């Protein structure tokens, strides 16, 4: 038997939309919504929906969707403002609406079909509705009911996200705009987008050090009471973003700094209770909207309750449908949130590369997709990279050369390309003939053998073939290093454990095994710090070494995150192992991500400098 009585805890977008959709499908059902705030109380300003989400609203409820469109602003472009440049990227589709207007429309739409709405009516626990067939828990990320049943739901809340504060402004923004500003306190960045003809949302992010240096930790404490806004931060940020606001003020509405919370639950239902919206999950606002996911939850739950035979079956069907999409969004949101939390490390990048790094921060859009959406911008960054690599060579017309094929200067030595090969001593010359720019002579097992005269001749032939040699030695092999220098090898790679103290030495690359854990763990942070200490002591770069079983798409992606962090923190070259099987050719902009395209993207975005082939790449 289908459920007949519904209690909805939370009168936000998820709860209100669910109430309407349930009544549309089951007019005889009793649906009651309980909201702790007043009907016209809301915090925040505008919310954003993608074209895909609006299409889902249209299918579920054409009348409500029409009202939302009529009250919304639409745009297709986004713009990055960095170092005095404005980089515009088209090919998107967004709709934004005032949160206050959204709630008013959803309240009216729910009431129209017979749902009962009670405001200023707080329900501390869902247990109060043990007789209801369904209790929809939609009271937000800080849900009291979910906290009370945290063990049952398997709730985790990670509040380590970057600092942000939410404003509105009468300043005109015609598209979503991301200005980045350096100040005497440190860097700030904003997300600005229109949602009404005369009003835009303006969200500011920064890191903890900058937040404290600007005195915003003190003003945050002073504005701790509900409904109180941080006026010190408002006035200071008006001055910081004055150029981008065209002198307009920032508008407040319970505006205060917070750290973004990522909410996850292993189970979305228990007995007659079911979670939806921010109560069930959150994802950083840089990849979309919690409101978007909440209303999509409402659509899926209403459909499952209408089509499944029992409430338990409906809850299972709802979760089975929504969880993969939510996980996909959270998987995209996690690297995006980290990007925004660490954007200061990349502000030294020139605008072309900074913009490309931004576009590729989540991996949600392939290189081929970026070429389709932003052909001129991708051409621009590829041309910039080629000019930077070969400043004295006129640019070529036609298809872009792969970034890996372009020269790189390392410690005063020009490499013909960005491919390194690790080779045994008896295959040095054949490796050089294969076309790699750097031949790493593997003396790590027993040190050099043979006469110095013979090796001088080999090294000369390696260079005659257009490659540069580097000696790979185990730690503390002073004799091997002296031998390498004597035969004309200028660069040395020392393979070190992460327990090793910082090493000094001329033209030394530190080789180290890449941890098998994500870069954003405490172990990963310690590893990046160790690499930075090695470069501060004099190392010219770091070679992140991977065991053969880690040379997979997943393993390489994890290692690339380390490469990015090490490069950002040290500003020195980073070498990264990669599998065989990719070709030195123009990146593929028409099909899926090949290894060649993946490497091209990583080099172009500045996440690494040299790819190390194990074994030799097929050139």
């Amino acid at each position: 038997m289908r459920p007949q009585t519904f209690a909805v805890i939370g009168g936000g977008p998820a709860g209100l939309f669910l109430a309407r959709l349930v009544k549309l499908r089951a007019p005889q059902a009793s649906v009651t919504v309980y909201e702790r705030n007043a009907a016209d109380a809301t915090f925040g300003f505008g919310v954003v929906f993608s074209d895909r989400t609006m299409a889902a609203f249209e299918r579920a409820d054409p009348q409500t969707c029409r009202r939302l469109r009529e009250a919304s602003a639409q745009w297709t472009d986004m713009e990055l403002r960095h170092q005095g440049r404005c980089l515009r990227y088209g090919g998107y589709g967004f709709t934004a609406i005032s949160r206050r207007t959204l709630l008013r429309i959803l309240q009216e739409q729910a009431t129209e079909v017979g749902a009962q709405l009670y405001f200023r009516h707080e329900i501390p626990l869902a247990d109060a509705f043990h007789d209801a067939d369904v209790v929809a828990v939609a009271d937000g990320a800080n849900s009291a009911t979910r906290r009370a049943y945290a063990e049952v739901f398997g709730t985790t809340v990670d509040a380590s996200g970057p600092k942000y504060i939410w404003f509105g402004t009468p300043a005109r923004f015609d598209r979503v705009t991301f200005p980045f500003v350096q100040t005497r306190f440190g860097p700030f960045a904003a997300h600005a987008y229109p949602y009404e003809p005369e009003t835009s949302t303006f969200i500011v992010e920064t890191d903890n050090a900058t937040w404290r240096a600007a005195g915003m930790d003190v003003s945050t404490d002073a504005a701790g009471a509900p409904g109180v806004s941080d006026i010190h931060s408002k006035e200071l940020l008006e001055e910081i973003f004055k150029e981008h606001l065209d002198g307009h003020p920032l508008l407040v509405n319970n505006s205060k700094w917070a750290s973004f919370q990522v909410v996850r639950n292993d189970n979305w239902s228990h007995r007659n209770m079911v979670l939806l919206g921010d109560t069930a999950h959150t994802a950083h606002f840089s990849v979309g909207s919690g409101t978007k996911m909440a209303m999509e939850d409402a659509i899926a739950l209403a459909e499952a309750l209408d089509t499944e035979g029992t409430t338990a079956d409906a809850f299972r069907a709802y979760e089975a449908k929504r969880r993969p999409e939510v996980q996909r969004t959270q998987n995209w949101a996690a690297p995006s949130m980290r990007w925004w939390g660490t954007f200061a490390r990349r502000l030294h990048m020139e605008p072309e590369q900074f913009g490309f790094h931004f576009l590729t921060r989540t991996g949600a859009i392939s290189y081929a997709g970026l070429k389709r959406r932003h052909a001129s911008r991708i051409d621009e960054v590829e041309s910039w990279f080629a000019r930077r690599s070969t400043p004295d060579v006129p640019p070529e017309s036609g298809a872009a050369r792969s970034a890996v094929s372009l020269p790189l200067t390392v410690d005063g030595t020009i490499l013909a390309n960005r491919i390194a090969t690790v080779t045994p001593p008896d295959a040095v010359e054949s490796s050089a003939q294969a076309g790699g720019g750097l031949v790493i002579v593997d003396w790590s097992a027993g040190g050099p053998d043979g006469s110095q005269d013979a090796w001088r001749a080999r090294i000369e032939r390696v260079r005659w073939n257009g490659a540069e040699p580097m000696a790979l030695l185990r730690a503390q092999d002073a004799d091997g290093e002296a031998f390498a220098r004597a035969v004309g090898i200028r660069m040395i790679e020392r393979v070190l454990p992460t327990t090793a103290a910082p090493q000094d030495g001329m033209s030394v690359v530190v080789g180290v095994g890449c941890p098998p854990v994500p870069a954003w763990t405490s172990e990963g942070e310690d590893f990046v710090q160790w690499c930075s200490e090695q470069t501060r002591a004099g190392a010219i770069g770091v070679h992140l070494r991977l065991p053969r079983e880690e040379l997979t798409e997943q393993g390489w992606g994890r290692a690339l995150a380390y490469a990015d962090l090490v490069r950002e923190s040290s500003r020195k070259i980073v070498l990264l192992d990669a599998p065989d099987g990719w070709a030195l050719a123009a990146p593929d902009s028409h099909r899926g991500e090949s290894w060649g395209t993946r490497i091209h993207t990583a080099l172009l975005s500045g996440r690494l400098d040299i790819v190390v082939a194990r074994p030799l790449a097929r050139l």
Side-chain angles (χ1 to χ4, degrees), residues 239-252:
E239 180 62 28
I240 287 170
F241 288 99
K242 178 170 59 177
E243 176 185 348
H244 302 282
L245 292 168
D246 291 329
H248 289 286
L250 293 173
L251 309 176
V252 297

Side-chain angles (χ1 to χ4, degrees), residues 378-414:
I378 303 306
D379 290 346
E380 181 182 60
V381 70
E382 288 174 336
S383 297
W384 167 84
F385 194 86
R387 290 194 307 272
R388 179 171 167 269
S389 303
T390 55
D392 300 325
V393 178
E396 296 182 6
S397 59
R401 291 173 61 189
S402 175
V404 79
S405 71
L406 295 169
L408 175 69
T409 300
V410 178
D411 198 36
T413 298
I414 299 176

Side-chain angles (χ1 to χ4, degrees), residues 328 443 607:
R328 185 160 47 248
W443 283 333
R607 289 177 168 88

Side-chain angles (χ1 to χ4, degrees), residues 49-64:
F49 302 122
S50 67
D51 283 353
R52 179 182 174 187
T53 299
M54 293 302 293
F57 294 170
E58 176 73 34
R59 291 190 296 271
D61 184 358
Q63 185 187 95
T64 298

